[in-house]
Amino acid sequence: MTDTADFSDTRYNQLAEQLADAIRRGTLAPGSRLPSVRRSAQTWSVSINTVVAAYRRLEDRGFIEARPQSGFYVRAALPALHHQPQEQPQTPAAEPADEVLDLIDKVFASQIDPTYTNLSLACPQSNDFYPTGKLGRIMSSLLRRQPNLIGQYALPPGSPALRQQIARRALALGMILEPADITITHGCMEALQLALRVTTKPGDSVGLETPTYFYLLPMLASLGLKAVEIPTDPQTGLSLDVLEMLLTEKRLNAVIAMPTAQNPLGFTMPLAAKKRLARLMNDHQVPLIEDGLYAEIQFGATLSPAVKAFDRDGWILFCTSFTKTLAPDFRIGWVDGGRFADKLHKLKAVSSMAESALLSQTLTLFLESGGYDHHLRVLRRRYASQVEQARALIARHFPQGTRATQPAGGFVIWVDFPPGVDCVTLFRQLLKDKICMTPGQLYSPSGRYSNGLRLSCCYVFDTRYISAMIRIGERACEMCGLPPGLEATGTDYFPDK
Amino acid sequence: MTDTADFSDTRYNQLAEQLADAIRRGTLAPGSRLPSVRRSAQTWSVSINTVVAAYRRLEDRGFIEARPQSGFYVRAALPALHHQPQEQPQTPAAEPADEVLDLIDKVFASQIDPTYTNLSLACPQSNDFYPTGKLGRIMSSLLRRQPNLIGQYALPPGSPALRQQIARRALALGMILEPADITITHGCMEALQLALRVTTKPGDSVGLETPTYFYLLPMLASLGLKAVEIPTDPQTGLSLDVLEMLLTEKRLNAVIAMPTAQNPLGFTMPLAAKKRLARLMNDHQVPLIEDGLYAEIQFGATLSPAVKAFDRDGWILFCTSFTKTLAPDFRIGWVDGGRFADKLHKLKAVSSMAESALLSQTLTLFLESGGYDHHLRVLRRRYASQVEQARALIARHFPQGTRATQPAGGFVIWVDFPPGVDCVTLFRQLLKDKICMTPGQLYSPSGRYSNGLRLSCCYVFDTRYISAMIRIGERACEMCGLPPGLEATGTDYFPDK
């Protein structure tokens, strides 16, 4: 790591870290304006570019926010910042995958039951998050103009027009993709599943973040794959030093990671780390399955590029879907298979054939209409605001000593309770209150994070949601005997209704 | 096999076989009326029930047809009947699955290109085979009344209302199913794939029919499963004696078969064979994956029940879809997992989550409206007629010595050319004529059936289709040096336009 880019990366990272410390200590108070870029460059004797990069980094990490024509401001109301999820010693469950699935079953059951208040799944159940009206009108018009779409067979690897639109949009994340390398899939879930099957065989070892997307664990188990947890920093992501060691020792057959707006921790890896990750995988010729599900829901002013943008020899497979951003019910996802693209086309065909042309064309027409960018901007602002409000509630109502992430994107928050709060017990208690959240134990193959909790902020942020958050705090305070309100801010974060 | 049912089965089968011989020899000419049931019972000194069973069997096998208020008639224009596909000695390909997939790629490529005439895939590409208008109106109305369907997350194992409708309809095939055991899948393809994954592990051996559905072979390969071909009679299906031997020797971990309107041979197993198959699998506690894709497109007056109808201990998994009967583009299928139902629900969730609620509800409303039975009746008559017309063209234009199946349902015909016709060569020649059919080699893991050919009769039966059939005959006659027209019937089977 001696090239110029990495040197300057280190430089701006140092500056960003110093400023982050200042914010943590309160030297830079919530709501205060940061010095201008020009002035900071003079103050710290660095180039303007370095300051801009440092500010962007702080923005990505949720410490500051840009206000147009005004400058950068420290964001408000931080609960105790999160350094690393606390790992409680745990006896691994006999059949972790099955136990996880049983827990998820309970989560799903409550999801279907409208008497439950849901803070569990990362899926909004309200139409006002999505342009459902416009999509519905496009589809109705398609049904009138091309009634035989319903009567035709959809063929793999999916609609050419949609793949064209996907390649066009991928440019925003720095990826220059060939439509021919893109397979349309049944959501991001099938994209990940096919990407795993095309790059591994049963018995292989797959490196992953910890905590990780909970469905990955039973998915790996169902494919006969071993999960290898790689230490994951809640602000910078995968430990690349550990990853390099594992790759050098040839202990991994593939890696699966979510480098942008990770679920459940919300971090986005710094640019330099993304570049290094891409280089490592290509150098060691081990496939990286990049889960980009939330990559378009970043809170920063600019989008951090995908790791796939720095792919050299096609070892990176990029998976995502329109499920979280546009039309959950359509379940249209995609994967760029890199050097595995042909194999992936074929595996999709013999796994589930193809996706509906009616749904694909509806999405294509929406994307062509140009409404997507506007929609994404609204969605990002909305989620950023809801995450911030949820963090304020945590700060006020959860036990002292609670820590929480500050997501750079997406719509989930990870909470670490102080010792004494067991989240599986809390989960079961809250089910009695008709409240559902997801216990941390789900997020690791070894069942750690028994005091961890993922809260979804993608639901309508109404009185019912707020009452549920308060109730979670009460239950947790009872369990650990600590009072609530580590950092009562005095600011009222309740919405205006 | 000494119980009464099997004895009477043997009795009516003998009678059916004798009558079939009479039809083959021309003693009973095409178009002629069979003796009444009462008279036949007197003639052959058997019970009326035995005659009825024998006539039904002949009807299932396509020899005769019932005409309301009139009696049973010999169906017209049989090309030489098919006893068993000819197997040409073949060097197994190094990577059969990949070679098959490359051939299928060519088939798909021609499918997309409208300049090709397609007789290859078993998927109509015309809206007038399906109630697309009614489905479209239901969907448009749903979009207006419940716009937020698009914005909601579909959850596994699928729409309860649709599973209820499916269980209700399954009664027509003799199956009494619990909606709770049904998983909604992405077409029958995913149903089969999940059923295989839930019952086997890589390295296992799966028994199958030969010839079989061509996509099964790369599907098995993709799951690390070995294909074991079981001799298959083109009229009665799987050799149950061979199957019993393989099961007794514990050489099979699962069996996959299409006992009703099989693809590509078109047979329906006799009732007694279906019962014995169900008994064998339950006795040996080996899962049977029953592919029921064409079970609702049977040509006989009554529907032959599914093997699943005789399942005793849940060892039979029944897979099918609405793709061939109602809405190809929706790709909504289902599987009843029997004793594996819970595992199957979970595997679906971690493989591709769930199916669109919008599409599921559209199907549910259509099924509830009662339009499905009428639609199926029209579809069956249409396919029966098209299959008959295609057989007449084969009789007139294909080389002497050609044999063809007489399907009991579905919409494909299997043709065996006389020696000298290599169908992979024929396939390549016909691509130059912009005609696409599927060579027999695709249908066996050992690449047999090089002189076999599957023709799809699900396309619009217009001048272009007929010209393509004639061209196939010309090319085949050139290749083997034999004249066309084994059995010129003098009847004009061209449609009235």
Side-chain angles (χ1 to χ4, degrees):
Chain A
M1 298 233 301
T2 53
D3 58 330
T4 326
D6 283 329
F7 177 71
S8 78
D9 283 342
T10 309
R11 199 85 176 79
Y12 87 73
N13 262 332
Q14 281 173 351
L15 179 55
E17 205 47 60
Q18 286 163 355
L19 288 168
D21 278 343
I23 294 168
R24 281 189 202 107
R25 285 192 306 267
T27 314
L28 284 164
S32 67
R33 189 172 172 278
L34 268 73
S36 75
V37 169
R38 184 172 303 273
R39 188 158 152 209
S40 292
Q42 291 167 347
T43 311
W44 293 300
S45 301
V46 294
S47 75
I48 283 184
N49 282 344
T50 301
V51 179
V52 167
Y55 280 21
R56 289 263 183 258
R57 179 72 197 131
L58 286 170
E59 196 187 8
D60 287 347
R61 283 167 60 186
F63 282 95
I64 63 173
E65 60 188 349
R67 295 186 192 160
Q69 269 94 47
S70 174
F72 288 90
Y73 289 79
V74 177
R75 289 172 76 188
L78 306 177
L81 267 165
H82 175 88
H83 290 282
Q84 186 177 330
Q86 278 178 26
E87 301 178 8
Q88 307 283 327
Q90 275 275 325
T91 318
E95 290 221 36
D98 267 3
E99 195 165 288
V100 165
L101 285 174
D102 286 341
L103 273 176
I104 295 172
D105 274 354
K106 287 204 180 65
V107 170
F108 278 164
S110 75
Q111 185 79 7
I112 292 163
D113 183 342
T115 65
Y116 278 80
T117 305
N118 238 297
L119 299 85
S120 54
L121 295 184
C123 45
Q125 294 285 336
S126 165
N127 56 330
D128 69 344
F129 284 76
Y130 300 107
T132 52
K134 189 169 177 191
L135 287 167
R137 283 189 298 277
I138 291 174
M139 195 185 285
S140 293
S141 159
L142 262 179
L143 288 168
R144 274 194 313 276
R145 289 183 293 113
Q146 298 184 51
N148 59 345
L149 269 181
I150 291 177
Q152 293 187 331
Y153 231 74
L155 294 177
S159 153
L162 180 57
R163 289 149 76 209
Q164 189 70 45
Q165 280 299 315
I166 286 169
R168 190 178 66 78
R169 289 211 54 87
L171 292 172
L173 293 170
M175 296 181 283
I176 300 169
L177 306 181
E178 284 295 322
D181 292 341
I182 294 168
T183 311
I184 306 296
T185 62
H186 199 60
C188 190
M189 179 88 81
E190 193 190 48
L192 296 172
Q193 184 238 119
L194 296 175
L196 280 168
R197 286 172 64 195
V198 90
T199 54
T200 63
K201 55 183 190 313
D204 278 1
S205 294
V206 177
L208 41 72
E209 294 152 338
T210 180
T212 186
Y213 169 47
F214 60 67
Y215 251 141
L216 270 190
L217 306 173
M219 186 191 286
L220 291 174
S222 78
L223 298 170
L225 298 169
K226 293 188 207 93
V228 178
E229 290 181 276
I230 300 172
T232 305
D233 182 277
Q235 290 169 357
T236 58
L238 277 180
S239 165
L240 297 181
D241 294 332
V242 173
L243 175 64
E244 185 164 18
M245 185 194 74
L246 291 169
L247 290 171
T248 305
E249 294 174 2
K250 302 200 182 305
R251 283 164 57 190
L252 298 178
N253 303 95
V255 173
I256 189 160
M258 205 166 182
T260 308
Q262 197 247 13
N263 175 9
L265 292 178
F267 64 79
T268 289
M269 292 179 88
L271 190 63
K274 285 186 170 178
K275 288 180 180 170
R276 186 178 163 205
L277 176 55
R279 205 164 48 228
L280 276 176
M281 305 310 293
N282 278 279
D283 286 352
H284 289 273
Q285 306 194 349
V286 170
L288 170 69
I289 298 166
E290 179 175 13
D291 179 351
L293 191 55
Y294 297 97
E296 286 191 308
I297 314 179
Q298 299 184 44
F299 298 154
T302 54
L303 296 182
S304 170
V307 175
K308 174 77 184 163
F310 310 107
D311 193 10
R312 194 179 63 213
D313 307 320
W315 288 98
I316 302 176
L317 299 86
F318 185 87
C319 303
T320 188
S321 126
F322 295 101
T323 314
K324 300 290 182 186
T325 51
L326 203 46
D329 185 66
F330 287 11
R331 294 210 58 74
I332 301 279
W334 58 274
V335 45
D336 180 294
R339 55 169 51 227
F340 301 92
D342 280 345
K343 259 181 102 173
L344 229 152
H345 289 339
K346 286 175 179 168
L347 188 62
K348 166 66 183 174
V350 301
S351 290
S352 65
M353 188 62 92
E355 293 308 303
S356 158
L358 175 64
L359 302 182
S360 300
Q361 287 200 29
T362 301
L363 283 184
T364 306
L365 290 172
F366 182 86
L367 294 175
E368 285 174 359
S369 78
Y372 191 48
D373 282 312
H374 170 72
H375 163 66
L376 277 181
R377 277 193 298 274
V378 173
L379 203 64
R380 283 172 196 146
R381 271 201 302 275
R382 180 162 186 174
Y383 284 138
S385 154
Q386 296 200 173
V387 161
E388 208 53 40
Q389 290 175 68
R391 283 167 46 76
L393 289 171
I394 292 168
R396 185 175 303 167
H397 300 286
F398 283 28
Q400 286 184 16
T402 299
R403 305 186 303 170
T405 52
Q406 178 130 31
F411 40 72
V412 298
I413 296 177
W414 179 269
V415 173
D416 259 17
F417 284 110
V421 179
D422 176 81
C423 283
V424 172
T425 310
L426 183 63
F427 171 74
R428 293 190 211 281
Q429 286 184 356
L430 286 166
L431 282 184
K432 290 180 203 151
D433 298 329
K434 299 268 179 187
I435 294 168
C436 191
M437 51 69 165
T438 37
Q441 203 188 27
L442 288 179
Y443 297 83
S444 147
S446 50
R448 12 182 147 217
Y449 312 128
S450 63
N451 63 327
L453 169 65
R454 189 191 75 171
L455 291 171
S456 180
C457 310
C458 64
Y459 299 92
V460 178
F461 215 83
D462 55 11
T463 315
R464 184 176 169 183
Y465 184 95
I466 292 162
S467 307
M469 289 285 281
I470 293 172
R471 184 68 184 140
I472 295 175
E474 287 171 356
R475 287 276 194 190
C477 288
E478 282 168 25
M479 205 179 288
C480 63
L482 289 168
L486 177 65
E487 290 181 31
T489 60
T491 320
D492 190 3
Y493 278 91
F494 288 78
D496 300 330
K497 58 173 175 178
Chain B
M1 298 229 300
T2 53
D3 58 326
T4 325
D6 283 326
F7 177 72
S8 79
D9 282 340
T10 309
R11 197 86 176 81
Y12 86 74
N13 262 332
Q14 280 173 349
L15 180 55
E17 205 46 62
Q18 285 164 356
L19 288 168
D21 278 343
I23 294 169
R24 282 191 202 103
R25 283 192 307 267
T27 314
L28 283 164
S32 66
R33 187 172 173 280
L34 268 74
S36 74
V37 169
R38 182 173 304 272
R39 190 161 151 203
S40 294
Q42 293 168 347
T43 311
W44 292 301
S45 304
V46 293
S47 75
I48 284 186
N49 283 343
T50 302
V51 179
V52 168
Y55 280 19
R56 290 264 184 257
R57 178 74 196 130
L58 286 169
E59 196 186 8
D60 287 347
R61 284 166 62 186
F63 281 95
I64 64 173
E65 60 188 349
R67 294 185 194 162
Q69 270 92 46
S70 174
F72 288 90
Y73 288 79
V74 178
R75 289 173 74 188
L78 307 177
L81 266 166
H82 176 87
H83 290 284
Q84 184 175 333
Q86 278 177 25
E87 302 178 8
Q88 307 284 327
Q90 277 273 328
T91 319
E95 291 221 36
D98 267 4
E99 195 165 285
V100 165
L101 285 175
D102 286 341
L103 273 175
I104 296 173
D105 274 354
K106 288 203 180 65
V107 170
F108 278 163
S110 76
Q111 184 79 6
I112 293 162
D113 183 341
T115 67
Y116 278 80
T117 305
N118 239 296
L119 297 86
S120 53
L121 293 185
C123 45
Q125 293 286 333
S126 164
N127 56 329
D128 69 345
F129 283 75
Y130 300 108
T132 53
K134 188 168 177 192
L135 287 167
R137 283 189 298 277
I138 291 174
M139 197 187 284
S140 293
S141 159
L142 263 179
L143 288 168
R144 273 195 314 276
R145 289 184 294 116
Q146 297 185 51
N148 59 346
L149 270 182
I150 291 177
Q152 292 188 331
Y153 231 72
L155 294 176
S159 154
L162 181 57
R163 289 150 75 210
Q164 188 69 44
Q165 281 298 314
I166 286 169
R168 192 179 63 80
R169 289 212 53 87
L171 292 173
L173 293 170
M175 295 181 284
I176 301 169
L177 307 181
E178 282 296 322
D181 292 341
I182 294 169
T183 312
I184 306 295
T185 62
H186 199 59
C188 190
M189 178 88 81
E190 193 189 48
L192 296 172
Q193 185 240 120
L194 296 175
L196 280 167
R197 286 172 65 197
V198 91
T199 55
T200 63
K201 56 183 191 312
D204 277 0
S205 294
V206 178
L208 39 73
E209 295 151 338
T210 179
T212 187
Y213 170 47
F214 61 66
Y215 251 141
L216 272 191
L217 306 173
M219 186 191 285
L220 290 174
S222 78
L223 298 171
L225 298 169
K226 293 188 208 95
V228 178
E229 289 180 279
I230 299 172
T232 305
D233 183 276
Q235 290 169 356
T236 58
L238 278 180
S239 164
L240 297 182
D241 294 333
V242 174
L243 176 65
E244 185 164 16
M245 185 195 73
L246 290 169
L247 289 171
T248 305
E249 293 174 0
K250 301 200 184 304
R251 284 163 59 190
L252 298 177
N253 304 94
V255 173
I256 189 163
M258 204 167 182
T260 307
Q262 196 248 13
N263 175 9
L265 293 178
F267 64 78
T268 288
M269 292 179 88
L271 190 62
K274 285 185 170 179
K275 287 181 181 172
R276 184 177 164 205
L277 176 55
R279 206 164 46 226
L280 277 176
M281 305 310 293
N282 278 281
D283 286 350
H284 289 272
Q285 307 194 348
V286 171
L288 170 68
I289 299 166
E290 179 175 13
D291 179 351
L293 191 55
Y294 297 98
E296 286 191 309
I297 315 179
Q298 300 183 43
F299 298 155
T302 53
L303 296 182
S304 169
V307 176
K308 173 78 183 162
F310 310 107
D311 193 9
R312 195 180 62 212
D313 307 321
W315 288 97
I316 303 178
L317 300 85
F318 186 87
C319 303
T320 189
S321 126
F322 295 100
T323 315
K324 301 290 182 186
T325 51
L326 204 47
D329 185 66
F330 287 10
R331 294 209 58 71
I332 301 280
W334 59 274
V335 47
D336 180 294
R339 56 169 51 227
F340 302 91
D342 279 345
K343 260 181 101 175
L344 229 151
H345 289 337
K346 286 175 178 166
L347 188 62
K348 165 64 182 175
V350 301
S351 289
S352 64
M353 189 62 91
E355 294 307 303
S356 158
L358 175 63
L359 302 183
S360 301
Q361 287 201 28
T362 301
L363 283 184
T364 305
L365 291 173
F366 182 87
L367 294 175
E368 286 174 357
S369 79
Y372 191 48
D373 283 311
H374 171 72
H375 164 66
L376 277 181
R377 280 193 296 274
V378 173
L379 204 64
R380 283 173 195 145
R381 273 202 300 274
R382 180 161 186 175
Y383 284 140
S385 155
Q386 296 201 174
V387 161
E388 207 53 40
Q389 290 176 66
R391 283 167 46 77
L393 290 170
I394 291 168
R396 185 176 300 168
H397 300 287
F398 282 28
Q400 287 184 14
T402 299
R403 302 187 303 169
T405 52
Q406 177 131 28
F411 40 71
V412 299
I413 296 177
W414 179 269
V415 173
D416 258 18
F417 284 110
V421 180
D422 176 80
C423 283
V424 172
T425 311
L426 183 65
F427 170 74
R428 292 190 211 283
Q429 286 183 358
L430 287 166
L431 282 185
K432 290 181 203 150
D433 298 330
K434 299 267 178 186
I435 295 168
C436 191
M437 52 69 164
T438 37
Q441 205 189 26
L442 289 179
Y443 296 84
S444 147
S446 49
R448 11 181 149 218
Y449 313 127
S450 64
N451 64 328
L453 170 66
R454 190 192 72 173
L455 290 171
S456 179
C457 310
C458 64
Y459 298 93
V460 178
F461 216 83
D462 56 10
T463 317
R464 185 176 167 183
Y465 184 94
I466 292 162
S467 307
M469 288 287 281
I470 294 171
R471 184 66 185 142
I472 294 175
E474 286 171 359
R475 286 277 195 191
C477 288
E478 280 168 25
M479 205 179 287
C480 64
L482 289 168
L486 176 64
E487 291 181 31
T489 60
T491 322
D492 189 2
Y493 279 91
F494 288 79
D496 299 331
K497 58 176 177 177

